[in-house]
Amino acid sequence: MDIAMDTDVTASEGAGVGTETEVLIAGAGPTGLVLAIDLARRGVRPRVVERSERGFPGSRGAALQPRTLEVLDDLGMLETFQAAGGPCQPVQNWQGTERVGTWELVERSEPTPAEPYPNILMIPQWRTVELLYTKLEEMGVRVEFNTELTGFTQEEGEDGNEDGDGNRNGPGVTAELRHADGSTETVRAGYLVAADGGRSTVRKVLGTPFEGTPIDDRPALLADFRMEGLDRDHWHMWPKAPGGMVALRPLEGMRGLFQLIARFDDKRVVDLESEATAESLIRLIEERTGLSGLSLSDVSWSSAFKPYAAMAEHFRVGRVLLAGDAAHVHSPSGGQGLNTSVQDAYNLGWKLAAVLRQGAPESVLDSYDAERTRVAAGVLSLSTRQFATDNASENGFSQRGRATRQLDLHYRESPLTREARRQVPESALHAGDRAPDAPCHDSTGTPVRLFDLFRGPHFTLLDLTVKGAALPTAPWLRAYRVNGPEADVLDTHGHAESTYGKALFLIRPDGYVALATEDPEDVREYVESWGPVSIPA
C-alpha cells in the first residue's frame, strides 16, 4: 500500500514557522484516521502527522466487531469494508498431519431489527488503514507521513503565554514536528490528540501514569506471507503442536496470503531478523505440524510480542487527549484493541466539534475521559480473561460470544446522560445505552431505518409519545415524530416502539441515548446546553 506523500500543508511551507490548526492528530492508524474523518465531516479540518513512511503493513487487528461496523455505517463506509472483508472462517483443528474436526471460533447470530450487523467482519488491519486513508483523502485531508511529533507544551486559560515577540497566545498546544529531511516545524493547535500507539511520545511527555500488567511471559510471533498447500476455507490450528500452538489463517482480499500465529512454550526472546525469514518460518511450521510440501514466500510483515495489558490514568490532560493504544493496550485475545480504539475516536470527534463549532462548553471534553476510561477498563478486563480462557482451552482458543461484540457497552453513568423516566425496568432501553436500529417507513411509504435517521454528524430526537408536542430545531439537531397524526416516520411493524417504548429519546451523534424522558421540557433544557435552538410555537 503506497499513499501519496503530498499534503495540503507541506513540510517546506511550514518548516520552522508557527502554523495554526484546530486539532493536531499524532498518529495515522485506525484511531487517528477515524477521528480525522469524523472531524472533517463536521467542518473541522484536522492536521494529521504520522512518523512512519507509510501505513501499517500488517494484519494485526483483523476482526471488526459489530459495534465498529455500525460506526462504519454512520461514516458511510460499511459497504466498502464488507466488500473488502469476509466472515470468520470455521476453525479446522489438526493433530499433526491429521484433521480432527471443525468448529466456530465466533458464535454466529442472525440479524435482527435492532442489531442489523451481529457478526464480526474479518479484514487485515493494513487494508482497514488503506480504506480509511482513501476516505480521508476524498474529504480533502492528507496524512503527513515521515513527520514525527517530538515534543509539545500546552497553555491553559484565556490569556495563555507570551511568545518571543511579546504577543500572547491563547489557550492551546505548541507542538514541535520533525520532518524526514531533518527540518523542524512549530505548530500551534487548539487541541492535540495522541493516537501514536502504545509507546506514545505524547503520553510520555505528559508524564501520565500508564499502569500495566504482563499477561504471559512467553512470547508469540505473528507474520504475514504467501503460502501454498493449505485450503483457504478454514482457519487452521494445531493447539497441541510441539513447542507451542500454531495457527494459519487465510487473509481476505489477497490470494495466497496467510497470517501465522505461533506461541512459544518457553520464555525465549524472538529474533525477528533470523526467525521471521521465509526459511525459518517454513521450518517452524513443518516442525510443529508435520506437514510437508508447503510453499512459503514473500514475508511482508512480522511482529513478536508478550501479551500485556495497560491503561493510562487519564485520557485527558488539559488540551491533550489520549486515544487508542496511547490510552490502553490490550491482550490480542477477543479482538478488542482496535475496536475499542475506534470507539475512542468516535466518542471524541463529535465532542471536539461541539466545542469548536457549536459553542458547547469545554467541560464536554471531560466526559470523554469519564466515559472512555470506564469502558476501556472493562474491555481490558474482558480481553485479559479471554486470554486466560484461551490458554486453558483444548482447542487453543475458546469461542467468542456476545460479550466481545461491544453492542452492550454503555454510558449510563456519564455526566452527559440523563434518564428522566421513573421506574424503568432494567431490561428496558436506558439513557446511556446504544440506540438500536428499527425498520420503518417515512411519510411517503418509503422504507427507512432508524440508522438512516441517525447517520450523519447531528443529534437525533425521536418522539414516540404520539402527543404532537412542539419539537426543538437547530442546525445540529434533527427531530422526528414516530407515528401519530403528524408522523415523520411510521413504525410499520412496531419494532421501534417495542425496543424504545413510548417516550422522547435524544440520540447523541455517536449513537447512544443521551436523554430519555416523557416531558418535552426536559428535551428543551438538555439541547439548549449544546447550542442555540428554537422551539416552534
Side-chain angles (χ1 to χ4, degrees), residues 8-233:
D8 292 326
V9 179
T10 65
S12 60
E13 290 171 336
V17 179
T19 58
E20 297 288 337
T21 185
E22 289 179 303
V23 180
L24 175 64
I25 301 173
T31 310
L33 293 171
V34 168
L35 177 60
I37 291 168
D38 200 23
L39 287 171
R41 70 172 178 159
R42 299 174 191 281
V44 178
R45 189 178 185 82
R47 187 169 180 188
V48 187
V49 298
E50 167 58 49
R51 60 190 166 205
S52 70
E53 64 179 355
R54 54 173 288 170
F56 180 75
S59 61
R60 183 180 58 206
L64 300 184
Q65 299 294 344
R67 181 57 186 156
T68 300
L69 300 183
E70 293 181 353
V71 173
L72 295 172
D73 183 349
D74 181 45
L75 297 178
M77 300 187 67
L78 180 59
E79 291 185 0
T80 300
F81 272 82
Q82 289 175 327
C88 184
Q89 305 100 327
V91 174
Q92 172 70 71
N93 270 15
W94 294 71
Q95 287 183 0
T97 60
E98 300 296 323
R99 297 175 184 254
V100 294
T102 60
W103 59 286
E104 296 289 351
L105 176 66
V106 180
E107 184 181 279
R108 299 184 188 274
S109 299
E110 293 297 321
T112 67
E115 298 176 357
Y117 321 120
N119 298 306
I120 68 170
L121 181 75
M122 302 298 291
I123 180 171
Q125 184 173 329
W126 68 263
R127 184 63 171 138
T128 290
V129 168
E130 184 181 64
L131 294 176
L132 292 171
Y133 280 140
T134 300
K135 176 69 171 180
L136 186 61
E137 289 181 344
E138 289 172 354
M139 303 175 81
V141 180
R142 290 180 177 268
V143 174
E144 299 177 51
F145 293 100
N146 285 314
T147 302
E148 181 180 8
L149 187 147
T150 57
F152 66 89
T153 58
Q154 62 171 318
E155 299 82 36
E156 284 293 337
E158 295 182 1
D159 294 331
N161 298 325
E162 287 189 1
D163 60 23
D165 297 324
N167 300 315
R168 284 198 172 272
N169 295 319
V173 178
T174 302
E176 298 296 326
L177 304 180
R178 182 170 59 220
H179 299 281
D181 62 2
S183 63
T184 60
E185 178 185 1
T186 300
V187 179
R188 282 286 299 169
Y191 296 93
L192 169 63
V193 179
D196 53 344
R199 299 189 176 116
S200 170
T201 297
V202 175
R203 189 189 64 239
K204 292 175 182 177
V205 172
L206 277 178
T208 300
F210 193 62
E211 298 297 329
T213 304
I215 297 174
D216 196 333
D217 56 5
R218 296 169 297 178
L221 170 65
L222 299 179
D224 297 345
F225 44 73
R226 293 191 179 278
M227 190 175 70
E228 296 180 2
L230 274 181
D231 71 80
R232 297 183 60 80
D233 299 324

Side-chain angles (χ1 to χ4, degrees), residues 464-485:
L464 288 95
T465 63
V466 200
K467 294 180 179 179
L471 303 180
T473 61
W476 46 268
L477 172 65
R478 295 182 185 175
Y480 301 92
R481 292 186 176 87
V482 182
N483 296 334

Side-chain angles (χ1 to χ4, degrees), residues 463-521:
D463 180 1
L464 288 95
T465 63
V466 200
K467 294 180 179 179
L471 303 180
T473 61
W476 46 268
L477 172 65
R478 295 182 185 175
Y480 301 92
R481 292 186 176 87
V482 182
N483 296 334
E486 299 179 3
D488 304 297
V489 177
L490 301 174
D491 183 18
T492 317
H493 304 290
H495 293 301
E497 183 178 324
S498 65
T499 304
Y500 283 80
K502 289 188 175 183
L504 292 150
F505 296 88
L506 183 65
I507 314 302
R508 299 174 8 166
D510 60 351
Y512 288 86
V513 180
L515 166 69
T517 183
E518 296 167 349
D519 186 352
E521 183 64 17

